[in-house]
Amino acid sequence: MKHQLTSLLGSALALVAATTVEARTIEVAAGDDAQTRLQEALINAQPGDVVRIGPGTFRLTDGLSLDVDGVTVRGAGIEQTILDFSGQQGAGEGLLVTSDDVVLRDFTVRDTRGDGIKSKNADRIVYLSLRVDWSGEPRTTNGAYGIYPVESEYVLVDGVTVRGASDAGIYVGQSRHIIVRESTAVQNVAGIEIENSYNADVHDNLATGNTGGILVFDLPGLPQQGGHSVRVFDNIIVNNMTPNFAPAGNIVATVPAGSGVIVMANRDVEIFDNEFDGNGTSNIMITGYRYGSTPADYQPMPMRIRAMGNRHGRAGFQPGLPGGAEMAQAFGGSLPPVMWDGAGTDIRIADDVAALTLNLPDLAQPVSAASPAPVDLSGEANWPRVAAVVLPASMEAAAAAP
Amino acid sequence: MFAALAMLAVLPAQGTNLAVADAVITGESNAPTLSAYGFFLGSPDRPSPLLIPYTLATPLFSDYAEKRRYIYVPQGSRMHANADGLIEFPVGTALIKSFGYPQADGSYRTIETRLLLRRASGWVALPYIWRPDGSDADLRVAGARQMVDFADSAGNRYSISYAVPNRNQCKTCHELSGAVTPIGPKLRNMELAAPARALVTGADWTLASMPRWDDAGTGSLDARARAYLDVNCAHCHNPRGSASNSGLFLEYERPPSMTTGLFKRPVAAGRGSGGHDYAIAPGHPEHSILAYRMGSTDPGIAMPELGRAVVHREGLRLIDEWIAAMPAGTPPASEARP
C-alpha cells in the first residue's frame, strides 16, 4: 500500500477537511487476492482519502463495502478498471456504500449476482463516470439494479452507463434531492427509475433499448412514500422495445414493452423538452397504483402531472398492453403517444399530440374494463412549476474535478 | 449461587496470567492478535474463567456452525437490563463468539472468533481467524473464505466455502440507526446460568418469553416461527436496520400485517422474487418470496445476504409449515394489472 499526500481533492472534500489530518491516496493494483486488498483499503481508509483502483480486471469473490465518510473510490477509467463479480459467492450487491460524502468514479462493475452498486443512507453521494453491466443478452438472471442509491439525501448520478439490469438500470429510491444526468440506460427492464422519492431532476440522459425508458413510481408500504416534485427533461427516450425480462412479482415486471416515460402515483411531475421516438406502447403513460390494497397513509393517485415541449416521433404502433392490438386498431393502427388510465387529477399535456384515456378513474376497476377514448388534456396548468434541484457545492465540485 | 459469585470475584487473584487486558478492549487501536486480550488460555477450547458463557433459546443460523458465546465485563462491573429487555453493557465489555464445526475424527475445529468491544466511543466489531495450530487468532478486517467440511445433525455432509465476514459486514447485521449494536443478548432469548444472572441488574428473568424455535413444547407454531424470523431476519428487517428500506419488518412483537409480509409485494427484490407476488402468500409457502429466498444459496436471491452458504433445512421447514398453516384467503382488495 502506498500512501501519499494528495492535493487534487479540492473543495469536494472541504466538508470533511476539518476531520482530515492528512488526505492520502491508497493504491490498489490488480492481481492476486484483489478481494482482500481492495476490501482492506476500503476499511482502512480515513475521511478524505482516495482509494485508487488501478487498471486491470479485479476478480472478486464477495461483495465489497465502504463505511467511511468522505472517501473517493476512483478507478483508472471505465475501460481500464473492471471489477468483475462473475465469481461472486456472497452479498446482495457488488459494492455497498453506507457512509456520507462518498465519490465513486471511473470504473466498471460487471456481472454482479445481485445489484451492481448500492448506497444506503449515504448522503451527498456522487456516482460519476461509471459503468455497470451484465455480459451477454439481457437475461432474467441478471442482477436487479445497476446503480441503487436508497434512503439518502442528495444523490448525483452523472455520466453513468448501465446495461442489462433485470429491474432498473439507475434506480433511486426513498431519497430526497436527486439529479440523474448525462447518463445512459440501455437494455434494462426500466432504464431510469425514481421511486418513492422527493425532488428529482432527470435530464440529458439517453434511455434506449429498455422495456420502459424512465419510470417515476410511488409504491405503498414503504418508510418513505408520497413521491413528488420530479422533473424529467431534455432526455432522449427512444426505441424502448425490449421484451420485459424482469422476474415476475416485481412491479416492473408489469411494465409493457414499448414504454417511454411512466408516471405512477406521484404528484407534481413535469415531463418536458424530451425527444421521444420508437416507443411502441406509449411515449408518456400516467397511471394510478392499481395493484390492490394499500395502507391508509398512501396516496395511489397521480396528481398535478404535466408534459410540455416534448418532441414525439413514432409511438403506440405495437402496444404491449393486454388488448393493446385491438385498441390500436380502433385508433386507426396505432395508439396516441400519451396514455392516461383516467385516475387522478390535474393531468395536463401541452404537447401537440393526441392523448388517450382508459377511463378507469376507480383504481379497483380492472384494466379489462377499460373503455379507451381520446381525451383533451390541454388547458391551463394553474399550479406552480416544480423547482430545480440544487445540490451542495461540494458535490458539483466533485463532479467537475478532473 | 453466592459461592459461584464469590468464585468469579476471586479469580483474578489466582494469578496474573488469568487477567483480561481491559486496556486492549477499550483502547482505540485494534489488537492484531486475539491473544492480546487474554480471553483464551492458549487455545480456543480454553476460555478464560473470567468469561461468562451463555446460550440463546433461538440462535441465528450460520451454516450449521456451532457457536460458543461469552460475555466479558470488567471486574466489579454490572450489566443492566432496560425496560425493553435489552441488556446495556458497561464500557470495557467484550461480547465474544467463536464459530466452528465438529470434525469427522470427533475433535472440534474453531475457525474464527468475532468480538464486539464496547469502547467509550461505541461498539466495534472485529473478526479474528484462528491459525491452523489453534495457538492464536489474527485480525482480518477484510474477512476471508475457508473451505469447511462438516455434517449436520441428520448426517448430511457439506463442503462449503465458509465466509468470515469483514468488518463492514459485521456492522451490516449489527447496525441500528447506523451504529454498531449487539443483537444477540436480549433478555427474552438469553439463557444465562444463575450465578451470572446476578451480574445483570434490573432483569426480570421470568419475562424471558421467546420460545425455542425447534421445541414445540415451548410455544405455538406461530410463536416459534416468529421467534425464528426475529433472530434470523429482524436485525436487518426492522425500521432502524440495514433493510429498513424494504418495508418488511420481522420483529417478534410486531402484529401481523402487510409490513410483516402478508400479501406484501416485493420492492427491490429483483430476481429474489422468484416469480412470486408476495413476501408471504398465506397458505402457500411455495408461492412466498420469504420461503423462496430462505431456500436459495444464490447471492442476489439468498436471504440473509451474508453468512449463509447452505440452506437451513430445519428452519425453512418451520417457515413452510407456518405459512402453510395460515388461512389462504385473498388480498384485502381486488388485484389488477395495468
Side-chain angles (χ1 to χ4, degrees), chain B residues 101-109:
Chain B
Y101 293 91
Q103 301 297 289
D105 63 3
S107 66
Y108 179 83
R109 175 188 169 201

Side-chain angles (χ1 to χ4, degrees), chain A residues 62 67 151 174 248 290 367, chain B residues 145 171 244-245 273 336-337:
Chain A
D62 274 291
D67 189 42
E151 284 192 342
Q174 301 182 61
R290 314 189 73 93
V367 173
Chain B
R145 282 189 174 271
K171 184 177 170 184
S244 58
N245 55 301
S273 75
R337 300 280 177 162

Side-chain angles (χ1 to χ4, degrees), chain B residues 10-31:
Chain B
V10 299
L11 276 169
Q14 292 177 344
T16 50
N17 62 327
L18 282 178
V20 164
D22 290 308
V24 180
I25 297 173
T26 54
E28 282 305 310
S29 64
N30 304 320

